[in-house]
Amino acid sequence: DGGITQSPKYLFRKEGQNVTLSCEQNLNHDAMYWYRQDPGQGLRLIYYSQIVNDFQKGDIAEGYSVSREKKESFPLTVTSAQKNPTAFYLCASRGPREAGELFFGEGSRLTVL
Amino acid sequence: AQSVTQLDSQVPVFEEAPVELRCNYSSSVSVYLFWYVQYPNQGLQLLLKYLSGSTLVKGINGFEAEFNKSQTSFHLRKPSVHISDTAEYFCAVTLDGTSYGKLTFGQGTILTVHP
């Protein structure tokens, strides 16, 4: 079945460590997104990419980095510069004709110890 | 810039009762509107969307929403809820045709259905 796969589902990291969250899609979608979810705050956009080898900062990009070397893949690195990285991270993709509708992965929960 | 306000952070309701989850948005231009549902520790799933046309939109699982341009609202309703409807619901907005899927989400409403 087509969809979005995020891994790992749960991740623990020590302060000062970088960590990379994987996002893979087989929907043949051009656009991909990373959102951060915190309780009571909804979802906030970190980075998005409309096409391979191109990406833009969202509303809360500081302390994060991304790459888009393949259409299917959009990994997110949470760097040590992110002051409060503990959160639920959601990857999404959007097809060309769905008028903004996003398809989400199952999410990755990052906890900084 | 657009914004979304979900007026209730938590809504408790008994099984088979009706429910309304309220959403107001702010935008100076035309928008597309969405409702998503999230079950615990999962991603979001689209319930319904308003793009244009009829202001009453029907979605999955018996949910519907009504777009009210004058009141800038997009409230979600269900006439009779089930235990399985317990989840968090998000209202979202994007500028029509220009924002490449950059949705702005509300804070979420946790719906809890009691037996």
PDB file of all heavy atoms in Angstrom, chain A residues 43-76:
ATOM      1  N   LEU A  43       0.006  21.838  15.418  1.00  0.00           N
ATOM      2  CA  LEU A  43       1.178  21.465  14.635  1.00  0.00           C
ATOM      3  C   LEU A  43       1.836  22.729  14.098  1.00  0.00           C
ATOM      4  O   LEU A  43       1.149  23.637  13.617  1.00  0.00           O
ATOM      5  CB  LEU A  43       0.780  20.571  13.461  1.00  0.00           C
ATOM      6  CG  LEU A  43       0.533  19.102  13.741  1.00  0.00           C
ATOM      7  CD1 LEU A  43      -0.727  18.869  14.548  1.00  0.00           C
ATOM      8  CD2 LEU A  43       0.500  18.314  12.437  1.00  0.00           C
ATOM      9  N   ARG A  44       3.155  22.759  14.134  1.00  0.00           N
ATOM     10  CA  ARG A  44       3.904  23.899  13.618  1.00  0.00           C
ATOM     11  C   ARG A  44       4.891  23.422  12.564  1.00  0.00           C
ATOM     12  O   ARG A  44       5.583  22.429  12.755  1.00  0.00           O
ATOM     13  CB  ARG A  44       4.621  24.625  14.756  1.00  0.00           C
ATOM     14  CG  ARG A  44       3.679  25.307  15.735  1.00  0.00           C
ATOM     15  CD  ARG A  44       4.454  25.965  16.874  1.00  0.00           C
ATOM     16  NE  ARG A  44       5.049  24.992  17.764  1.00  0.00           N
ATOM     17  CZ  ARG A  44       5.959  25.279  18.696  1.00  0.00           C
ATOM     18  NH1 ARG A  44       6.388  26.531  18.824  1.00  0.00           N
ATOM     19  NH2 ARG A  44       6.432  24.330  19.474  1.00  0.00           N
ATOM     20  N   LEU A  45       4.977  24.162  11.471  1.00  0.00           N
ATOM     21  CA  LEU A  45       5.779  23.763  10.324  1.00  0.00           C
ATOM     22  C   LEU A  45       7.253  24.046  10.554  1.00  0.00           C
ATOM     23  O   LEU A  45       7.638  25.176  10.874  1.00  0.00           O
ATOM     24  CB  LEU A  45       5.286  24.513   9.077  1.00  0.00           C
ATOM     25  CG  LEU A  45       5.967  24.182   7.764  1.00  0.00           C
ATOM     26  CD1 LEU A  45       5.732  22.721   7.390  1.00  0.00           C
ATOM     27  CD2 LEU A  45       5.452  25.115   6.667  1.00  0.00           C
ATOM     28  N   ILE A  46       8.089  23.019  10.355  1.00  0.00           N
ATOM     29  CA  ILE A  46       9.533  23.160  10.543  1.00  0.00           C
ATOM     30  C   ILE A  46      10.218  23.468   9.205  1.00  0.00           C
ATOM     31  O   ILE A  46      10.904  24.480   9.058  1.00  0.00           O
ATOM     32  CB  ILE A  46      10.141  21.883  11.146  1.00  0.00           C
ATOM     33  CG1 ILE A  46       9.437  21.501  12.452  1.00  0.00           C
ATOM     34  CG2 ILE A  46      11.642  22.068  11.389  1.00  0.00           C
ATOM     35  CD1 ILE A  46       9.878  20.144  13.001  1.00  0.00           C
ATOM     36  N   TYR A  47      10.071  22.578   8.257  1.00  0.00           N
ATOM     37  CA  TYR A  47      10.637  22.714   6.914  1.00  0.00           C
ATOM     38  C   TYR A  47       9.669  22.096   5.910  1.00  0.00           C
ATOM     39  O   TYR A  47       8.893  21.218   6.251  1.00  0.00           O
ATOM     40  CB  TYR A  47      11.979  21.973   6.806  1.00  0.00           C
ATOM     41  CG  TYR A  47      13.209  22.796   7.105  1.00  0.00           C
ATOM     42  CD1 TYR A  47      13.799  22.741   8.362  1.00  0.00           C
ATOM     43  CD2 TYR A  47      13.799  23.595   6.135  1.00  0.00           C
ATOM     44  CE1 TYR A  47      14.942  23.478   8.649  1.00  0.00           C
ATOM     45  CE2 TYR A  47      14.943  24.336   6.411  1.00  0.00           C
ATOM     46  CZ  TYR A  47      15.505  24.276   7.674  1.00  0.00           C
ATOM     47  OH  TYR A  47      16.646  25.007   7.942  1.00  0.00           O
ATOM     48  N   TYR A  48       9.780  22.539   4.668  1.00  0.00           N
ATOM     49  CA  TYR A  48       9.034  21.905   3.602  1.00  0.00           C
ATOM     50  C   TYR A  48       9.850  21.916   2.325  1.00  0.00           C
ATOM     51  O   TYR A  48      10.756  22.739   2.149  1.00  0.00           O
ATOM     52  CB  TYR A  48       7.655  22.542   3.402  1.00  0.00           C
ATOM     53  CG  TYR A  48       7.663  23.968   2.925  1.00  0.00           C
ATOM     54  CD1 TYR A  48       7.401  24.287   1.596  1.00  0.00           C
ATOM     55  CD2 TYR A  48       7.875  25.011   3.820  1.00  0.00           C
ATOM     56  CE1 TYR A  48       7.377  25.612   1.173  1.00  0.00           C
ATOM     57  CE2 TYR A  48       7.858  26.326   3.408  1.00  0.00           C
ATOM     58  CZ  TYR A  48       7.609  26.616   2.084  1.00  0.00           C
ATOM     59  OH  TYR A  48       7.584  27.928   1.667  1.00  0.00           O
ATOM     60  N   SER A  49       9.496  20.979   1.450  1.00  0.00           N
ATOM     61  CA  SER A  49      10.204  20.840   0.186  1.00  0.00           C
ATOM     62  C   SER A  49       9.173  20.613  -0.908  1.00  0.00           C
ATOM     63  O   SER A  49       8.345  19.715  -0.807  1.00  0.00           O
ATOM     64  CB  SER A  49      11.165  19.655   0.252  1.00  0.00           C
ATOM     65  OG  SER A  49      11.683  19.345  -1.030  1.00  0.00           O
ATOM     66  N   GLN A  50       9.241  21.406  -1.956  1.00  0.00           N
ATOM     67  CA  GLN A  50       8.288  21.269  -3.061  1.00  0.00           C
ATOM     68  C   GLN A  50       8.842  20.402  -4.191  1.00  0.00           C
ATOM     69  O   GLN A  50       8.092  19.930  -5.051  1.00  0.00           O
ATOM     70  CB  GLN A  50       7.922  22.641  -3.597  1.00  0.00           C
ATOM     71  CG  GLN A  50       7.205  23.509  -2.568  1.00  0.00           C
ATOM     72  CD  GLN A  50       7.053  24.932  -3.035  1.00  0.00           C
ATOM     73  OE1 GLN A  50       6.947  25.181  -4.230  1.00  0.00           O
ATOM     74  NE2 GLN A  50       7.044  25.884  -2.108  1.00  0.00           N
ATOM     75  N   ILE A  51      10.176  20.199  -4.182  1.00  0.00           N
ATOM     76  CA  ILE A  51      10.788  19.457  -5.269  1.00  0.00           C
ATOM     77  C   ILE A  51      12.151  18.980  -4.794  1.00  0.00           C
ATOM     78  O   ILE A  51      12.734  19.547  -3.848  1.00  0.00           O
ATOM     79  CB  ILE A  51      10.897  20.341  -6.529  1.00  0.00           C
ATOM     80  CG1 ILE A  51      11.115  19.503  -7.770  1.00  0.00           C
ATOM     81  CG2 ILE A  51      11.961  21.393  -6.346  1.00  0.00           C
ATOM     82  CD1 ILE A  51      10.945  20.281  -9.064  1.00  0.00           C
ATOM     83  N   VAL A  52      12.668  17.975  -5.448  1.00  0.00           N
ATOM     84  CA  VAL A  52      13.987  17.434  -5.087  1.00  0.00           C
ATOM     85  C   VAL A  52      15.039  18.536  -5.157  1.00  0.00           C
ATOM     86  O   VAL A  52      15.007  19.405  -6.031  1.00  0.00           O
ATOM     87  CB  VAL A  52      14.350  16.278  -6.042  1.00  0.00           C
ATOM     88  CG1 VAL A  52      15.773  15.791  -5.790  1.00  0.00           C
ATOM     89  CG2 VAL A  52      13.386  15.123  -5.866  1.00  0.00           C
ATOM     90  N   ASN A  53      15.961  18.486  -4.196  1.00  0.00           N
ATOM     91  CA  ASN A  53      17.089  19.418  -4.106  1.00  0.00           C
ATOM     92  C   ASN A  53      16.672  20.847  -3.790  1.00  0.00           C
ATOM     93  O   ASN A  53      17.449  21.795  -4.021  1.00  0.00           O
ATOM     94  CB  ASN A  53      17.941  19.395  -5.387  1.00  0.00           C
ATOM     95  CG  ASN A  53      18.685  18.087  -5.563  1.00  0.00           C
ATOM     96  OD1 ASN A  53      19.141  17.491  -4.584  1.00  0.00           O
ATOM     97  ND2 ASN A  53      18.787  17.623  -6.799  1.00  0.00           N
ATOM     98  N   ASP A  54      15.484  21.008  -3.265  1.00  0.00           N
ATOM     99  CA  ASP A  54      15.028  22.337  -2.862  1.00  0.00           C
ATOM    100  C   ASP A  54      14.186  22.218  -1.607  1.00  0.00           C
ATOM    101  O   ASP A  54      13.349  21.313  -1.509  1.00  0.00           O
ATOM    102  CB  ASP A  54      14.211  22.989  -3.967  1.00  0.00           C
ATOM    103  CG  ASP A  54      13.823  24.412  -3.608  1.00  0.00           C
ATOM    104  OD1 ASP A  54      14.732  25.223  -3.317  1.00  0.00           O
ATOM    105  OD2 ASP A  54      12.616  24.709  -3.595  1.00  0.00           O
ATOM    106  N   PHE A  55      14.391  23.123  -0.642  1.00  0.00           N
ATOM    107  CA  PHE A  55      13.568  23.120   0.564  1.00  0.00           C
ATOM    108  C   PHE A  55      13.571  24.533   1.165  1.00  0.00           C
ATOM    109  O   PHE A  55      14.463  25.343   0.882  1.00  0.00           O
ATOM    110  CB  PHE A  55      14.053  22.090   1.597  1.00  0.00           C
ATOM    111  CG  PHE A  55      15.528  22.133   1.904  1.00  0.00           C
ATOM    112  CD1 PHE A  55      16.029  23.037   2.824  1.00  0.00           C
ATOM    113  CD2 PHE A  55      16.394  21.259   1.276  1.00  0.00           C
ATOM    114  CE1 PHE A  55      17.389  23.071   3.110  1.00  0.00           C
ATOM    115  CE2 PHE A  55      17.755  21.283   1.554  1.00  0.00           C
ATOM    116  CZ  PHE A  55      18.254  22.195   2.467  1.00  0.00           C
ATOM    117  N   GLN A  56      12.538  24.806   1.962  1.00  0.00           N
ATOM    118  CA  GLN A  56      12.382  26.127   2.572  1.00  0.00           C
ATOM    119  C   GLN A  56      12.106  25.990   4.067  1.00  0.00           C
ATOM    120  O   GLN A  56      11.523  25.004   4.519  1.00  0.00           O
ATOM    121  CB  GLN A  56      11.207  26.894   1.938  1.00  0.00           C
ATOM    122  CG  GLN A  56      11.474  27.408   0.537  1.00  0.00           C
ATOM    123  CD  GLN A  56      11.310  26.320  -0.497  1.00  0.00           C
ATOM    124  OE1 GLN A  56      10.409  25.493  -0.383  1.00  0.00           O
ATOM    125  NE2 GLN A  56      12.171  26.318  -1.499  1.00  0.00           N
ATOM    126  N   LYS A  57      12.501  27.009   4.810  1.00  0.00           N
ATOM    127  CA  LYS A  57      12.223  27.040   6.234  1.00  0.00           C
ATOM    128  C   LYS A  57      10.739  27.306   6.477  1.00  0.00           C
ATOM    129  O   LYS A  57      10.106  28.086   5.775  1.00  0.00           O
ATOM    130  CB  LYS A  57      13.052  28.136   6.912  1.00  0.00           C
ATOM    131  CG  LYS A  57      14.547  27.882   6.906  1.00  0.00           C
ATOM    132  CD  LYS A  57      15.282  29.002   7.619  1.00  0.00           C
ATOM    133  CE  LYS A  57      16.778  28.721   7.630  1.00  0.00           C
ATOM    134  NZ  LYS A  57      17.533  29.814   8.309  1.00  0.00           N
ATOM    135  N   GLY A  58      10.246  26.646   7.514  1.00  0.00           N
ATOM    136  CA  GLY A  58       8.902  26.944   7.974  1.00  0.00           C
ATOM    137  C   GLY A  58       8.942  27.955   9.102  1.00  0.00           C
ATOM    138  O   GLY A  58       9.836  28.794   9.176  1.00  0.00           O
ATOM    139  N   ASP A  59       7.984  27.827   9.999  1.00  0.00           N
ATOM    140  CA  ASP A  59       7.848  28.816  11.076  1.00  0.00           C
ATOM    141  C   ASP A  59       8.831  28.618  12.227  1.00  0.00           C
ATOM    142  O   ASP A  59       9.120  29.553  12.975  1.00  0.00           O
ATOM    143  CB  ASP A  59       6.411  28.767  11.618  1.00  0.00           C
ATOM    144  CG  ASP A  59       5.389  29.076  10.545  1.00  0.00           C
ATOM    145  OD1 ASP A  59       5.634  29.998   9.745  1.00  0.00           O
ATOM    146  OD2 ASP A  59       4.345  28.385  10.488  1.00  0.00           O
ATOM    147  N   ILE A  60       9.343  27.380  12.388  1.00  0.00           N
ATOM    148  CA  ILE A  60      10.199  27.097  13.553  1.00  0.00           C
ATOM    149  C   ILE A  60      11.426  26.300  13.134  1.00  0.00           C
ATOM    150  O   ILE A  60      11.757  25.282  13.712  1.00  0.00           O
ATOM    151  CB  ILE A  60       9.410  26.359  14.656  1.00  0.00           C
ATOM    152  CG1 ILE A  60       8.786  25.056  14.129  1.00  0.00           C
ATOM    153  CG2 ILE A  60       8.331  27.245  15.253  1.00  0.00           C
ATOM    154  CD1 ILE A  60       8.323  24.117  15.227  1.00  0.00           C
ATOM    155  N   ALA A  61      12.172  26.767  12.140  1.00  0.00           N
ATOM    156  CA  ALA A  61      13.286  26.005  11.565  1.00  0.00           C
ATOM    157  C   ALA A  61      14.559  26.029  12.417  1.00  0.00           C
ATOM    158  O   ALA A  61      15.444  25.191  12.216  1.00  0.00           O
ATOM    159  CB  ALA A  61      13.585  26.533  10.179  1.00  0.00           C
ATOM    160  N   GLU A  62      14.670  26.937  13.343  1.00  0.00           N
ATOM    161  CA  GLU A  62      15.925  27.064  14.094  1.00  0.00           C
ATOM    162  C   GLU A  62      16.227  25.788  14.875  1.00  0.00           C
ATOM    163  O   GLU A  62      15.381  25.273  15.611  1.00  0.00           O
ATOM    164  CB  GLU A  62      15.848  28.241  15.059  1.00  0.00           C
ATOM    165  CG  GLU A  62      17.150  28.492  15.808  1.00  0.00           C
ATOM    166  CD  GLU A  62      17.105  29.737  16.673  1.00  0.00           C
ATOM    167  OE1 GLU A  62      16.116  30.485  16.593  1.00  0.00           O
ATOM    168  OE2 GLU A  62      18.057  29.953  17.440  1.00  0.00           O
ATOM    169  N   GLY A  63      17.466  25.280  14.697  1.00  0.00           N
ATOM    170  CA  GLY A  63      17.870  24.069  15.397  1.00  0.00           C
ATOM    171  C   GLY A  63      17.569  22.792  14.640  1.00  0.00           C
ATOM    172  O   GLY A  63      17.813  21.697  15.149  1.00  0.00           O
ATOM    173  N   TYR A  64      17.050  22.917  13.422  1.00  0.00           N
ATOM    174  CA  TYR A  64      16.733  21.768  12.584  1.00  0.00           C
ATOM    175  C   TYR A  64      17.416  21.907  11.229  1.00  0.00           C
ATOM    176  O   TYR A  64      17.720  23.012  10.794  1.00  0.00           O
ATOM    177  CB  TYR A  64      15.221  21.664  12.343  1.00  0.00           C
ATOM    178  CG  TYR A  64      14.383  21.498  13.583  1.00  0.00           C
ATOM    179  CD1 TYR A  64      13.772  22.596  14.186  1.00  0.00           C
ATOM    180  CD2 TYR A  64      14.187  20.247  14.151  1.00  0.00           C
ATOM    181  CE1 TYR A  64      12.995  22.451  15.329  1.00  0.00           C
ATOM    182  CE2 TYR A  64      13.405  20.092  15.290  1.00  0.00           C
ATOM    183  CZ  TYR A  64      12.812  21.204  15.873  1.00  0.00           C
ATOM    184  OH  TYR A  64      12.046  21.056  16.993  1.00  0.00           O
ATOM    185  N   SER A  65      17.640  20.776  10.568  1.00  0.00           N
ATOM    186  CA  SER A  65      18.124  20.792   9.197  1.00  0.00           C
ATOM    187  C   SER A  65      17.481  19.642   8.433  1.00  0.00           C
ATOM    188  O   SER A  65      17.048  18.641   9.032  1.00  0.00           O
ATOM    189  CB  SER A  65      19.652  20.688   9.132  1.00  0.00           C
ATOM    190  OG  SER A  65      20.086  19.425   9.603  1.00  0.00           O
ATOM    191  N   VAL A  66      17.396  19.799   7.111  1.00  0.00           N
ATOM    192  CA  VAL A  66      16.798  18.775   6.254  1.00  0.00           C
ATOM    193  C   VAL A  66      17.627  18.617   4.984  1.00  0.00           C
ATOM    194  O   VAL A  66      18.491  19.437   4.678  1.00  0.00           O
ATOM    195  CB  VAL A  66      15.345  19.121   5.860  1.00  0.00           C
ATOM    196  CG1 VAL A  66      14.427  19.120   7.079  1.00  0.00           C
ATOM    197  CG2 VAL A  66      15.298  20.448   5.124  1.00  0.00           C
ATOM    198  N   SER A  67      17.326  17.569   4.236  1.00  0.00           N
ATOM    199  CA  SER A  67      17.869  17.378   2.899  1.00  0.00           C
ATOM    200  C   SER A  67      16.785  16.749   2.040  1.00  0.00           C
ATOM    201  O   SER A  67      15.861  16.111   2.557  1.00  0.00           O
ATOM    202  CB  SER A  67      19.117  16.509   2.924  1.00  0.00           C
ATOM    203  OG  SER A  67      18.804  15.202   3.399  1.00  0.00           O
ATOM    204  N   ARG A  68      16.916  16.925   0.734  1.00  0.00           N
ATOM    205  CA  ARG A  68      15.936  16.317  -0.183  1.00  0.00           C
ATOM    206  C   ARG A  68      16.700  15.889  -1.446  1.00  0.00           C
ATOM    207  O   ARG A  68      16.604  16.493  -2.502  1.00  0.00           O
ATOM    208  CB  ARG A  68      14.832  17.316  -0.542  1.00  0.00           C
ATOM    209  CG  ARG A  68      13.737  16.675  -1.358  1.00  0.00           C
ATOM    210  CD  ARG A  68      12.712  15.981  -0.529  1.00  0.00           C
ATOM    211  NE  ARG A  68      11.754  15.218  -1.289  1.00  0.00           N
ATOM    212  CZ  ARG A  68      10.660  15.720  -1.860  1.00  0.00           C
ATOM    213  NH1 ARG A  68      10.415  17.050  -1.794  1.00  0.00           N
ATOM    214  NH2 ARG A  68       9.809  14.944  -2.495  1.00  0.00           N
ATOM    215  N   GLU A  69      17.435  14.801  -1.306  1.00  0.00           N
ATOM    216  CA  GLU A  69      18.249  14.286  -2.400  1.00  0.00           C
ATOM    217  C   GLU A  69      17.463  13.347  -3.301  1.00  0.00           C
ATOM    218  O   GLU A  69      17.840  13.117  -4.449  1.00  0.00           O
ATOM    219  CB  GLU A  69      19.486  13.600  -1.837  1.00  0.00           C
ATOM    220  CG  GLU A  69      20.401  14.538  -1.052  1.00  0.00           C
ATOM    221  CD  GLU A  69      21.577  13.819  -0.419  1.00  0.00           C
ATOM    222  OE1 GLU A  69      21.686  12.581  -0.603  1.00  0.00           O
ATOM    223  OE2 GLU A  69      22.386  14.483   0.252  1.00  0.00           O
ATOM    224  N   LYS A  70      16.401  12.773  -2.772  1.00  0.00           N
ATOM    225  CA  LYS A  70      15.546  11.881  -3.531  1.00  0.00           C
ATOM    226  C   LYS A  70      14.090  12.279  -3.344  1.00  0.00           C
ATOM    227  O   LYS A  70      13.716  12.778  -2.276  1.00  0.00           O
ATOM    228  CB  LYS A  70      15.731  10.433  -3.082  1.00  0.00           C
ATOM    229  CG  LYS A  70      17.111   9.873  -3.277  1.00  0.00           C
ATOM    230  CD  LYS A  70      17.136   8.380  -2.953  1.00  0.00           C
ATOM    231  CE  LYS A  70      16.710   8.110  -1.532  1.00  0.00           C
ATOM    232  NZ  LYS A  70      16.783   6.666  -1.191  1.00  0.00           N
ATOM    233  N   LYS A  71      13.278  12.027  -4.327  1.00  0.00           N
ATOM    234  CA  LYS A  71      11.870  12.383  -4.241  1.00  0.00           C
ATOM    235  C   LYS A  71      11.195  11.668  -3.088  1.00  0.00           C
ATOM    236  O   LYS A  71      10.313  12.216  -2.434  1.00  0.00           O
ATOM    237  CB  LYS A  71      11.174  12.022  -5.554  1.00  0.00           C
ATOM    238  CG  LYS A  71       9.746  12.475  -5.663  1.00  0.00           C
ATOM    239  CD  LYS A  71       9.199  12.168  -7.057  1.00  0.00           C
ATOM    240  CE  LYS A  71       7.804  12.743  -7.238  1.00  0.00           C
ATOM    241  NZ  LYS A  71       7.299  12.506  -8.611  1.00  0.00           N
ATOM    242  N   GLU A  72      11.628  10.431  -2.817  1.00  0.00           N
ATOM    243  CA  GLU A  72      10.952   9.609  -1.835  1.00  0.00           C
ATOM    244  C   GLU A  72      11.326   9.937  -0.394  1.00  0.00           C
ATOM    245  O   GLU A  72      10.654   9.510   0.536  1.00  0.00           O
ATOM    246  CB  GLU A  72      11.280   8.134  -2.082  1.00  0.00           C
ATOM    247  CG  GLU A  72      10.890   7.614  -3.453  1.00  0.00           C
ATOM    248  CD  GLU A  72      11.891   7.989  -4.528  1.00  0.00           C
ATOM    249  OE1 GLU A  72      13.027   8.408  -4.191  1.00  0.00           O
ATOM    250  OE2 GLU A  72      11.529   7.907  -5.710  1.00  0.00           O
ATOM    251  N   SER A  73      12.413  10.680  -0.174  1.00  0.00           N
ATOM    252  CA  SER A  73      12.993  10.775   1.154  1.00  0.00           C
ATOM    253  C   SER A  73      13.182  12.224   1.592  1.00  0.00           C
ATOM    254  O   SER A  73      13.660  13.057   0.807  1.00  0.00           O
ATOM    255  CB  SER A  73      14.340  10.048   1.161  1.00  0.00           C
ATOM    256  OG  SER A  73      14.946  10.140   2.420  1.00  0.00           O
ATOM    257  N   PHE A  74      12.865  12.499   2.850  1.00  0.00           N
ATOM    258  CA  PHE A  74      12.985  13.861   3.389  1.00  0.00           C
ATOM    259  C   PHE A  74      13.377  13.758   4.865  1.00  0.00           C
ATOM    260  O   PHE A  74      12.571  13.992   5.756  1.00  0.00           O
ATOM    261  CB  PHE A  74      11.656  14.588   3.223  1.00  0.00           C
ATOM    262  CG  PHE A  74      11.709  16.076   3.475  1.00  0.00           C
ATOM    263  CD1 PHE A  74      12.764  16.852   3.038  1.00  0.00           C
ATOM    264  CD2 PHE A  74      10.662  16.717   4.139  1.00  0.00           C
ATOM    265  CE1 PHE A  74      12.802  18.215   3.248  1.00  0.00           C
ATOM    266  CE2 PHE A  74      10.681  18.097   4.358  1.00  0.00           C
ATOM    267  CZ  PHE A  74      11.754  18.845   3.914  1.00  0.00           C
ATOM    268  N   PRO A  75      14.621  13.424   5.170  1.00  0.00           N
ATOM    269  CA  PRO A  75      15.036  13.255   6.566  1.00  0.00           C
ATOM    270  C   PRO A  75      15.187  14.585   7.294  1.00  0.00           C
ATOM    271  O   PRO A  75      15.573  15.592   6.701  1.00  0.00           O
ATOM    272  CB  PRO A  75      16.392  12.542   6.439  1.00  0.00           C
ATOM    273  CG  PRO A  75      16.900  12.941   5.087  1.00  0.00           C
ATOM    274  CD  PRO A  75      15.695  13.090   4.214  1.00  0.00           C
ATOM    275  N   LEU A  76      14.895  14.557   8.568  1.00  0.00           N
ATOM    276  CA  LEU A  76      14.997  15.724   9.442  1.00  0.00           C
ATOM    277  C   LEU A  76      16.059  15.460  10.508  1.00  0.00           C
ATOM    278  O   LEU A  76      16.011  14.436  11.184  1.00  0.00           O
ATOM    279  CB  LEU A  76      13.665  15.990  10.122  1.00  0.00           C
ATOM    280  CG  LEU A  76      13.644  17.098  11.202  1.00  0.00           C
ATOM    281  CD1 LEU A  76      13.734  18.479  10.549  1.00  0.00           C
ATOM    282  CD2 LEU A  76      12.376  16.988  12.056  1.00  0.00           C
TER     283      LEU A  76
END
